[in-house]
Short mmCIF file of all heavy atoms in Angstrom, two decimals:
data_model
loop_
_atom_site.label_atom_id
_atom_site.label_comp_id
_atom_site.label_asym_id
_atom_site.label_seq_id
_atom_site.Cartn_x
_atom_site.Cartn_y
_atom_site.Cartn_z
N ILE A 1 240.88 181.09 103.20
CA ILE A 1 240.80 179.64 103.00
C ILE A 1 242.17 179.01 103.24
O ILE A 1 242.28 177.95 103.89
CB ILE A 1 240.30 179.32 101.58
CG1 ILE A 1 238.91 179.93 101.35
CG2 ILE A 1 240.25 177.81 101.36
CD1 ILE A 1 238.45 179.88 99.90
N GLU A 2 243.21 179.64 102.75
CA GLU A 2 244.58 179.12 102.92
C GLU A 2 244.93 179.02 104.41
O GLU A 2 245.48 178.00 104.86
CB GLU A 2 245.56 180.06 102.22
CG GLU A 2 247.03 179.66 102.35
CD GLU A 2 247.41 178.47 101.48
OE1 GLU A 2 246.64 178.16 100.54
OE2 GLU A 2 248.47 177.87 101.72
N LYS A 3 244.59 180.05 105.17
CA LYS A 3 244.91 180.05 106.59
C LYS A 3 244.16 178.93 107.31
O LYS A 3 244.73 178.23 108.16
CB LYS A 3 244.57 181.41 107.20
CG LYS A 3 244.98 181.56 108.65
CD LYS A 3 244.82 183.01 109.12
CE LYS A 3 245.88 183.91 108.52
NZ LYS A 3 245.86 185.27 109.14
N ALA A 4 242.89 178.76 106.97
CA ALA A 4 242.09 177.69 107.59
C ALA A 4 242.64 176.32 107.23
O ALA A 4 242.77 175.44 108.10
CB ALA A 4 240.63 177.82 107.14
N ALA A 5 242.95 176.12 105.95
CA ALA A 5 243.44 174.82 105.48
C ALA A 5 244.77 174.47 106.13
O ALA A 5 245.00 173.32 106.53
CB ALA A 5 243.57 174.83 103.96
N GLN A 6 245.66 175.46 106.25
CA GLN A 6 246.97 175.18 106.84
C GLN A 6 246.84 174.85 108.33
O GLN A 6 247.52 173.94 108.83
CB GLN A 6 247.89 176.39 106.66
CG GLN A 6 249.35 176.10 107.05
CD GLN A 6 249.94 174.96 106.25
OE1 GLN A 6 249.96 175.01 105.02
NE2 GLN A 6 250.42 173.92 106.93
N TYR A 7 245.96 175.54 109.02
CA TYR A 7 245.72 175.26 110.44
C TYR A 7 245.23 173.82 110.61
O TYR A 7 245.70 173.08 111.48
CB TYR A 7 244.69 176.25 110.98
CG TYR A 7 244.37 176.07 112.44
CD1 TYR A 7 245.12 176.71 113.43
CD2 TYR A 7 243.31 175.26 112.84
CE1 TYR A 7 244.82 176.55 114.78
CE2 TYR A 7 243.00 175.09 114.19
CZ TYR A 7 243.76 175.73 115.15
OH TYR A 7 243.47 175.57 116.49
N ILE A 8 244.28 173.42 109.76
CA ILE A 8 243.74 172.07 109.85
C ILE A 8 244.80 171.03 109.56
O ILE A 8 244.94 170.02 110.28
CB ILE A 8 242.55 171.92 108.87
CG1 ILE A 8 241.35 172.72 109.37
CG2 ILE A 8 242.17 170.44 108.68
CD1 ILE A 8 240.23 172.87 108.36
N GLU A 9 245.59 171.25 108.50
CA GLU A 9 246.60 170.26 108.13
C GLU A 9 247.66 170.11 109.22
O GLU A 9 248.13 169.00 109.48
CB GLU A 9 247.26 170.63 106.80
CG GLU A 9 246.34 170.48 105.60
CD GLU A 9 245.63 169.13 105.57
OE1 GLU A 9 246.32 168.09 105.67
OE2 GLU A 9 244.38 169.11 105.47
N ASP A 10 248.03 171.21 109.85
CA ASP A 10 249.01 171.13 110.95
C ASP A 10 248.46 170.28 112.10
O ASP A 10 249.16 169.40 112.64
CB ASP A 10 249.35 172.53 111.45
CG ASP A 10 250.18 173.32 110.46
OD1 ASP A 10 250.73 172.71 109.51
OD2 ASP A 10 250.26 174.56 110.60
N LYS A 11 247.21 170.50 112.46
CA LYS A 11 246.58 169.73 113.53
C LYS A 11 246.39 168.27 113.12
O LYS A 11 246.57 167.35 113.93
CB LYS A 11 245.23 170.34 113.89
CG LYS A 11 245.30 171.74 114.48
CD LYS A 11 245.82 171.72 115.92
CE LYS A 11 245.74 173.09 116.54
NZ LYS A 11 246.25 173.11 117.94
N TYR A 12 246.01 168.09 111.87
CA TYR A 12 245.76 166.74 111.34
C TYR A 12 247.02 165.89 111.39
O TYR A 12 247.00 164.74 111.86
CB TYR A 12 245.25 166.87 109.90
CG TYR A 12 244.87 165.58 109.22
CD1 TYR A 12 243.77 164.83 109.63
CD2 TYR A 12 245.61 165.10 108.14
CE1 TYR A 12 243.42 163.66 108.98
CE2 TYR A 12 245.27 163.94 107.48
CZ TYR A 12 244.16 163.21 107.90
OH TYR A 12 243.82 162.06 107.25
N GLN A 13 248.11 166.46 110.93
CA GLN A 13 249.38 165.72 110.95
C GLN A 13 249.85 165.47 112.37
O GLN A 13 250.41 164.40 112.67
CB GLN A 13 250.45 166.48 110.15
CG GLN A 13 250.15 166.59 108.66
CD GLN A 13 249.95 165.25 107.98
OE1 GLN A 13 250.58 164.26 108.33
NE2 GLN A 13 249.03 165.21 107.01
N ALA A 14 249.62 166.43 113.24
CA ALA A 14 250.03 166.26 114.63
C ALA A 14 249.27 165.13 115.31
O ALA A 14 249.76 164.51 116.26
CB ALA A 14 249.81 167.57 115.41
N LYS A 15 248.06 164.83 114.81
CA LYS A 15 247.25 163.75 115.37
C LYS A 15 247.49 162.41 114.69
O LYS A 15 246.81 161.43 114.98
CB LYS A 15 245.76 164.10 115.27
CG LYS A 15 245.31 165.13 116.29
CD LYS A 15 243.77 165.25 116.29
CE LYS A 15 243.29 166.11 117.43
NZ LYS A 15 241.80 166.17 117.48
N GLY A 16 248.44 162.36 113.77
CA GLY A 16 248.78 161.09 113.13
C GLY A 16 248.44 160.99 111.67
O GLY A 16 248.69 159.96 111.03
N GLY A 17 247.85 162.04 111.09
CA GLY A 17 247.57 162.06 109.66
C GLY A 17 246.59 160.99 109.21
O GLY A 17 245.70 160.56 109.97
N ASP A 18 246.78 160.50 107.98
CA ASP A 18 245.83 159.55 107.39
C ASP A 18 245.71 158.26 108.21
O ASP A 18 244.62 157.67 108.28
CB ASP A 18 246.28 159.19 105.96
CG ASP A 18 246.04 160.34 104.99
OD1 ASP A 18 245.38 161.31 105.38
OD2 ASP A 18 246.51 160.24 103.84
N ALA A 19 246.80 157.84 108.82
CA ALA A 19 246.78 156.58 109.57
C ALA A 19 245.81 156.63 110.75
O ALA A 19 245.25 155.60 111.14
CB ALA A 19 248.19 156.23 110.05
N LYS A 20 245.62 157.81 111.30
CA LYS A 20 244.74 157.95 112.47
C LYS A 20 243.41 158.64 112.14
O LYS A 20 242.58 158.85 113.02
CB LYS A 20 245.46 158.76 113.56
CG LYS A 20 246.75 158.12 114.07
CD LYS A 20 246.46 156.82 114.81
CE LYS A 20 247.73 156.24 115.40
NZ LYS A 20 247.47 154.97 116.13
N ALA A 21 243.23 159.00 110.87
CA ALA A 21 242.03 159.72 110.48
C ALA A 21 240.77 158.92 110.78
O ALA A 21 240.74 157.70 110.60
CB ALA A 21 242.08 160.05 108.99
N PHE A 22 239.75 159.59 111.25
CA PHE A 22 238.45 158.97 111.55
C PHE A 22 238.59 157.76 112.46
O PHE A 22 237.90 156.76 112.30
CB PHE A 22 237.75 158.57 110.25
CG PHE A 22 237.59 159.67 109.25
CD1 PHE A 22 238.17 159.59 108.00
CD2 PHE A 22 236.85 160.80 109.57
CE1 PHE A 22 238.02 160.62 107.08
CE2 PHE A 22 236.69 161.83 108.65
CZ PHE A 22 237.28 161.75 107.39
N GLY A 23 239.51 157.84 113.41
CA GLY A 23 239.68 156.75 114.37
C GLY A 23 240.48 155.58 113.85
O GLY A 23 240.53 154.52 114.50
N GLY A 24 241.12 155.73 112.70
CA GLY A 24 241.90 154.64 112.11
C GLY A 24 241.05 153.69 111.28
O GLY A 24 239.83 153.73 111.31
N GLN A 25 241.73 152.84 110.54
CA GLN A 25 241.05 151.94 109.61
C GLN A 25 240.52 150.69 110.31
O GLN A 25 241.24 150.01 111.04
CB GLN A 25 242.00 151.53 108.49
CG GLN A 25 242.45 152.71 107.63
CD GLN A 25 241.32 153.35 106.86
OE1 GLN A 25 240.87 152.82 105.85
NE2 GLN A 25 240.84 154.49 107.33
N LYS A 26 239.25 150.38 110.05
CA LYS A 26 238.62 149.17 110.57
C LYS A 26 238.60 148.07 109.51
O LYS A 26 238.72 146.89 109.82
CB LYS A 26 237.20 149.50 111.03
CG LYS A 26 236.43 148.32 111.62
CD LYS A 26 235.03 148.77 112.06
CE LYS A 26 234.24 147.61 112.64
NZ LYS A 26 232.87 148.04 113.04
N TYR A 27 238.41 148.47 108.26
CA TYR A 27 238.35 147.53 107.15
C TYR A 27 239.40 147.88 106.10
O TYR A 27 239.91 149.01 106.07
CB TYR A 27 236.96 147.54 106.49
CG TYR A 27 235.84 147.18 107.43
CD1 TYR A 27 234.85 148.10 107.75
CD2 TYR A 27 235.75 145.90 107.98
CE1 TYR A 27 233.80 147.77 108.61
CE2 TYR A 27 234.72 145.56 108.84
CZ TYR A 27 233.75 146.50 109.15
OH TYR A 27 232.73 146.16 110.00
N GLN A 28 239.69 146.92 105.23
CA GLN A 28 240.66 147.13 104.17
C GLN A 28 239.95 147.26 102.83
O GLN A 28 238.94 146.59 102.57
CB GLN A 28 241.65 145.95 104.12
CG GLN A 28 242.47 145.77 105.38
CD GLN A 28 243.29 147.00 105.72
OE1 GLN A 28 244.00 147.54 104.86
NE2 GLN A 28 243.20 147.45 106.97
N THR A 29 240.52 148.08 101.98
CA THR A 29 239.97 148.28 100.63
C THR A 29 240.18 147.04 99.78
O THR A 29 241.27 146.45 99.79
CB THR A 29 240.66 149.49 99.96
OG1 THR A 29 240.35 150.66 100.71
CG2 THR A 29 240.19 149.66 98.53
N LEU A 30 239.17 146.65 99.04
CA LEU A 30 239.33 145.56 98.08
C LEU A 30 240.14 146.05 96.88
O LEU A 30 240.07 147.23 96.53
CB LEU A 30 237.97 145.06 97.60
CG LEU A 30 237.10 144.33 98.63
CD1 LEU A 30 235.74 144.01 98.04
CD2 LEU A 30 237.78 143.06 99.12
N PRO A 31 240.89 145.17 96.22
CA PRO A 31 241.62 145.58 95.01
C PRO A 31 240.66 146.16 93.97
O PRO A 31 239.47 145.81 93.95
CB PRO A 31 242.25 144.28 94.52
CG PRO A 31 242.33 143.41 95.73
CD PRO A 31 241.14 143.77 96.57
N GLU A 32 241.16 147.02 93.10
CA GLU A 32 240.29 147.75 92.17
C GLU A 32 239.42 146.83 91.33
O GLU A 32 238.22 147.06 91.17
CB GLU A 32 241.13 148.64 91.25
CG GLU A 32 240.28 149.46 90.29
CD GLU A 32 241.09 150.41 89.44
OE1 GLU A 32 242.11 150.94 89.94
OE2 GLU A 32 240.71 150.63 88.28
N ALA A 33 240.00 145.78 90.78
CA ALA A 33 239.22 144.88 89.93
C ALA A 33 238.08 144.24 90.72
O ALA A 33 236.96 144.11 90.22
CB ALA A 33 240.12 143.80 89.33
N GLU A 34 238.35 143.86 91.96
CA GLU A 34 237.30 143.26 92.80
C GLU A 34 236.23 144.28 93.17
O GLU A 34 235.04 143.97 93.21
CB GLU A 34 237.92 142.67 94.06
CG GLU A 34 238.77 141.42 93.83
CD GLU A 34 239.28 140.84 95.14
OE1 GLU A 34 238.54 140.90 96.15
OE2 GLU A 34 240.42 140.34 95.15
N ARG A 35 236.68 145.52 93.45
CA ARG A 35 235.71 146.58 93.78
C ARG A 35 234.75 146.81 92.63
O ARG A 35 233.53 146.86 92.81
CB ARG A 35 236.43 147.90 94.07
CG ARG A 35 237.23 147.95 95.33
CD ARG A 35 237.47 149.39 95.79
NE ARG A 35 238.02 150.27 94.78
CZ ARG A 35 239.32 150.41 94.52
NH1 ARG A 35 240.20 149.67 95.19
NH2 ARG A 35 239.73 151.26 93.61
N ARG A 36 235.32 146.98 91.45
CA ARG A 36 234.48 147.30 90.29
C ARG A 36 233.55 146.13 89.97
O ARG A 36 232.39 146.34 89.57
CB ARG A 36 235.36 147.67 89.10
CG ARG A 36 236.28 148.88 89.35
CD ARG A 36 235.50 150.18 89.47
NE ARG A 36 236.29 151.28 90.01
CZ ARG A 36 237.10 152.06 89.30
NH1 ARG A 36 237.26 151.86 88.00
NH2 ARG A 36 237.75 153.06 89.87
N ALA A 37 234.04 144.90 90.12
CA ALA A 37 233.19 143.74 89.86
C ALA A 37 232.04 143.68 90.87
O ALA A 37 230.89 143.37 90.52
CB ALA A 37 234.02 142.46 89.93
N ALA A 38 232.34 143.98 92.13
CA ALA A 38 231.30 143.98 93.16
C ALA A 38 230.28 145.08 92.91
O ALA A 38 229.07 144.87 93.05
CB ALA A 38 231.94 144.15 94.54
N PHE A 39 230.76 146.26 92.53
CA PHE A 39 229.86 147.35 92.20
C PHE A 39 228.94 146.95 91.04
O PHE A 39 227.73 147.16 91.08
CB PHE A 39 230.65 148.60 91.80
CG PHE A 39 230.97 149.53 92.94
CD1 PHE A 39 232.25 150.05 93.08
CD2 PHE A 39 229.99 149.92 93.84
CE1 PHE A 39 232.56 150.93 94.11
CE2 PHE A 39 230.29 150.80 94.88
CZ PHE A 39 231.58 151.31 95.01
N ALA A 40 229.54 146.40 89.97
CA ALA A 40 228.77 146.04 88.78
C ALA A 40 227.68 145.02 89.11
O ALA A 40 226.58 145.05 88.54
CB ALA A 40 229.69 145.50 87.69
N LYS A 41 227.98 144.15 90.05
CA LYS A 41 227.02 143.10 90.41
C LYS A 41 225.87 143.65 91.25
O LYS A 41 224.71 143.25 91.07
CB LYS A 41 227.74 141.98 91.17
CG LYS A 41 226.88 140.75 91.40
CD LYS A 41 227.71 139.59 91.91
CE LYS A 41 226.86 138.32 92.03
NZ LYS A 41 227.66 137.17 92.51
N ILE A 42 226.17 144.57 92.15
CA ILE A 42 225.14 145.03 93.09
C ILE A 42 224.36 146.24 92.59
O ILE A 42 223.21 146.46 92.99
CB ILE A 42 225.79 145.35 94.47
CG1 ILE A 42 224.74 145.28 95.60
CG2 ILE A 42 226.48 146.71 94.45
CD1 ILE A 42 224.29 143.90 95.91
N LEU A 43 224.96 147.05 91.71
CA LEU A 43 224.36 148.33 91.34
C LEU A 43 222.98 148.22 90.69
O LEU A 43 222.06 148.95 91.07
CB LEU A 43 225.31 149.12 90.44
CG LEU A 43 226.35 149.97 91.18
CD1 LEU A 43 227.48 150.38 90.25
CD2 LEU A 43 225.70 151.20 91.79
N PRO A 44 222.77 147.34 89.68
CA PRO A 44 221.42 147.29 89.08
C PRO A 44 220.34 146.94 90.10
O PRO A 44 219.26 147.53 90.08
CB PRO A 44 221.58 146.21 88.00
CG PRO A 44 223.03 146.25 87.64
CD PRO A 44 223.73 146.50 88.94
N TRP A 45 220.63 145.98 90.97
CA TRP A 45 219.66 145.62 92.01
C TRP A 45 219.39 146.83 92.91
O TRP A 45 218.24 147.14 93.22
CB TRP A 45 220.18 144.46 92.84
CG TRP A 45 219.32 144.16 94.03
CD1 TRP A 45 218.17 143.41 94.06
CD2 TRP A 45 219.51 144.65 95.38
NE1 TRP A 45 217.64 143.40 95.34
CE2 TRP A 45 218.44 144.14 96.15
CE3 TRP A 45 220.48 145.44 95.98
CZ2 TRP A 45 218.32 144.42 97.52
CZ3 TRP A 45 220.36 145.73 97.33
CH2 TRP A 45 219.30 145.22 98.09
N LEU A 46 220.45 147.50 93.32
CA LEU A 46 220.30 148.65 94.21
C LEU A 46 219.55 149.77 93.51
O LEU A 46 218.70 150.45 94.13
CB LEU A 46 221.68 149.12 94.68
CG LEU A 46 221.71 150.27 95.69
CD1 LEU A 46 220.91 149.93 96.94
CD2 LEU A 46 223.16 150.61 96.06
N ARG A 47 219.83 149.97 92.23
CA ARG A 47 219.10 151.00 91.48
C ARG A 47 217.60 150.70 91.49
O ARG A 47 216.77 151.60 91.66
CB ARG A 47 219.61 151.09 90.04
CG ARG A 47 218.90 152.15 89.22
CD ARG A 47 219.48 152.29 87.82
NE ARG A 47 218.82 153.36 87.11
CZ ARG A 47 218.14 153.22 85.97
NH1 ARG A 47 218.05 152.02 85.40
NH2 ARG A 47 217.57 154.25 85.39
N GLY A 48 217.26 149.44 91.31
CA GLY A 48 215.85 149.07 91.35
C GLY A 48 215.23 149.36 92.70
O GLY A 48 214.08 149.79 92.79
#
């Protein structure tokens, strides 16, 4: 597992790391308070 993980991380960093992961970021994360408020509002409806 260590050998596999190190091989992946070396390649991952060589390709730009987190900044380039999954083709780069398209959207921005909402601040935590806004995220949790949005979740709280939508979750009961979605659960139904």
